Amino acid sequence: MKLLSIAYYTFIRNVRDIKAMTAFILLPILMILILGKALDSAYTPKKIDPMNVGYFTKDDGILNSSMTEFLSAKETRSILEVKKVNSLESGIDQVKSGKLKGLIYLSTGTSDQFKKGEQVKINFYSKEKNSYVQPVLESFVRTFNIGNTLIKLNGKQLQPNSNPSIIKEVKLVTEGKIPRGIDYYALTALFQSLLFGAIFGVFAITKDMGNHTNIRMIAAPIQGSKIILGKLTGSTMTLFGISILIFLISKFAFKANWDGSLWIILLVLFLFSTISVALGMILAYLSKSTMASSLGIFIVGTVLTLVAGGFSRMDGKVIEMLSYLSPNTYAQKTLFTNIYEGTFAQSNILSLVCYTIIVVTLTFITGRRRVA
């Protein structure tokens, strides 16, 4: 009961701090709105460049001639950038190395098999699970009706130089598959603001030091660990409540994409809120100063957000290594994977749980040393 009382009054004290509550609600909302709208073009594709594809054939008949004409047509070149390779092995090696996104291959005697009415195949090699080259090739296949006979148009056999319009337009729908600017910053700005929300953990410690409430609490018949846990719980619930409110505003007012599993979203927000408050309490126990702790939160929060790509996407081995030190990395990866791929990133959520356990443990260690 004493633990719950400490948690409850810590929560109430935070909520009654109107200035702090207003700042931590409005700031991320404005950041999501401004950055999401201003940088939307950096995240939403306006044009997709032609895909680099190789072509190798051992066939010297009508199918090879028709395929060559098909691949060199203006309509096809707007979708595929075709490069002829010297051998099948060379083409496959270039696909494996990433120089080519795919390889189209016709084997020996394919055209002769056509004429005999035998079923034949156009081979396509790719590392990608779903490549938009496949529907383009299927358009060619449907036109020539591979597997039965050569296509005839109006009773006449199709000639290699007839230049028919046989390309079917394939519309690439990216909506809901990749984040827009508003979707990206709805997550990253939220986690950045939650890191800065570590100030509630600082207040839980330094306010009691300022009014000497901590002396009375230490003298009271209650374990120091319960005092620490009570303050941690109360401040975490404050920050968790703020995160849910921002989540709801960005989802329903800004129409940001949060179409993932609700329980995963809430779990990540709760764990991240706990981490942030614990970091604030650690800094407060170490510095014993609201000003010094706040400065530390600003510096640490900015760096952790930066290396995790919270401001903009960043590349490089050093940045990648530093990103593993940031809880933002695991939280963002968990939610992005769940929302846009529909999968549960178990490794990322476990990393976030471990991160939570580590910082909470450090909170108890620094808190008990402060009491001692």
Side-chain angles (χ1 to χ4, degrees):
M1 287 299 294
K2 293 178 181 178
L3 187 154
L4 293 177
S5 295
I6 294 173
Y8 172 74
Y9 284 109
T10 300
F11 174 80
I12 292 298
R13 184 169 62 183
N14 289 334
V15 173
R16 287 176 177 173
D17 191 341
I18 303 300
K19 292 182 179 179
M21 292 293 292
T22 302
F24 281 102
I25 291 173
L26 290 182
L27 180 61
I29 290 174
L30 291 175
M31 285 181 63
I32 292 170
L33 184 60
I34 295 171
L35 292 175
K37 294 297 183 182
L39 301 177
D40 184 61
S41 59
Y43 295 88
T44 304
K46 299 294 185 292
K47 179 183 178 182
I48 299 178
D49 294 328
M51 179 176 282
N52 224 6
V53 176
Y55 177 57
F56 178 68
T57 178
K58 289 185 177 180
D59 182 71
D60 56 1
I62 189 172
L63 181 59
N64 174 42
S65 302
S66 299
M67 176 66 79
T68 301
E69 183 182 2
F70 176 82
L71 295 176
S72 61
K74 181 181 178 181
E75 295 91 339
T76 310
R77 283 189 283 110
S78 66
I79 303 172
L80 305 179
E81 186 175 333
V82 181
K83 172 188 175 184
K84 289 192 175 183
V85 297
N86 298 324
S87 66
L88 178 60
E89 293 74 16
S90 172
I92 292 176
D93 288 341
Q94 290 183 63
V95 171
K96 289 180 179 179
S97 66
K99 291 182 179 179
L100 295 175
K101 293 295 185 181
L103 174 68
I104 303 168
Y105 169 59
L106 294 180
S107 59
T108 305
T110 304
S111 294
D112 293 334
Q113 290 177 289
F114 272 164
K115 294 176 182 179
K116 295 176 183 178
E118 297 177 5
Q119 184 175 0
V120 298
K121 293 181 180 179
I122 295 178
N123 299 290
F124 178 67
Y125 301 88
S126 176
K127 289 171 65 177
E128 299 179 353
K129 200 170 186 180
N130 296 305
S131 171
Y132 70 76
V133 178
Q134 290 172 266
V136 177
L137 289 177
E138 287 169 6
S139 174
F140 178 83
V141 171
R142 280 193 297 270
T143 305
F144 282 81
N145 194 17
I146 297 179
N148 293 301
T149 185
L150 293 174
I151 280 290
K152 293 184 178 180
L153 297 177
N154 297 323
K156 296 181 180 180
Q157 183 173 293
L158 182 68
Q159 298 300 319
N161 60 355
S162 58
N163 194 27
S165 178
I166 60 175
I167 297 177
K168 179 181 178 181
E169 181 183 4
V170 180
K171 294 184 179 180
L172 301 178
V173 181
T174 60
E175 185 177 357
K177 302 299 182 182
I178 59 174
R180 301 165 298 161
I182 196 75
D183 302 327
Y184 186 81
Y185 287 107
L187 266 72
T188 59
L190 172 56
F191 289 125
Q192 180 189 6
S193 67
L194 291 183
L195 269 184
F196 292 154
I199 194 68
F200 287 109
V202 173
F203 289 161
I205 307 303
T206 57
K207 283 187 176 181
D208 286 342
M209 290 180 179
N211 57 24
H212 305 295
T213 304
N214 64 315
I215 298 177
R216 295 195 297 271
M217 294 184 70
I218 293 171
I222 181 173
Q223 295 178 351
S225 58
K226 290 185 178 180
I227 296 175
I228 296 171
L229 182 58
K231 292 181 177 181
L232 177 64
T233 303
S235 298
T236 297
M237 295 312 297
T238 303
L239 200 55
F240 182 52
I242 291 174
S243 70
I244 292 177
L245 180 59
I246 298 170
F247 155 65
L248 293 173
I249 292 173
S250 64
K251 178 177 175 64
F252 295 106
F254 300 157
K255 305 300 180 183
N257 186 2
W258 285 93
D259 295 334
S261 172
L262 181 59
W263 77 267
I264 292 179
I265 294 172
L266 294 179
L267 176 61
V268 169
L269 292 179
F270 177 76
L271 291 174
F272 202 91
S273 298
T274 304
I275 291 171
S276 298
V277 170
L279 287 173
M281 292 177 69
I282 291 170
L283 289 173
Y285 279 130
L286 293 175
S287 68
K288 306 172 189 177
S289 165
T290 301
M291 183 66 69
S293 299
S294 300
L295 180 60
I297 288 171
F298 177 78
I299 295 172
V300 172
T302 301
V303 171
L304 293 180
T305 301
L306 180 66
V307 297
F311 298 110
S312 64
R313 294 168 179 168
M314 301 179 67
D315 297 316
K317 291 185 178 180
V318 175
I319 294 295
E320 183 180 358
M321 291 176 61
L322 292 174
S323 69
Y324 293 117
L325 300 176
S326 173
N328 303 52
T329 299
Y330 308 110
Q332 289 168 189
K333 284 184 177 180
T334 299
L335 293 188
F336 278 131
T337 302
N338 181 246
I339 293 171
Y340 296 100
E341 297 180 17
T343 58
F344 175 61
Q346 187 174 359
S347 60
N348 289 318
I349 199 72
L350 287 177
S351 298
L352 198 61
V353 170
C354 291
Y355 207 115
T356 306
I357 293 172
I358 291 171
V359 294
V360 169
T361 301
L362 290 175
T363 303
F364 279 94
I365 293 173
T366 55
R368 290 178 68 86
R369 289 187 63 183
R370 166 63 186 149
V371 172

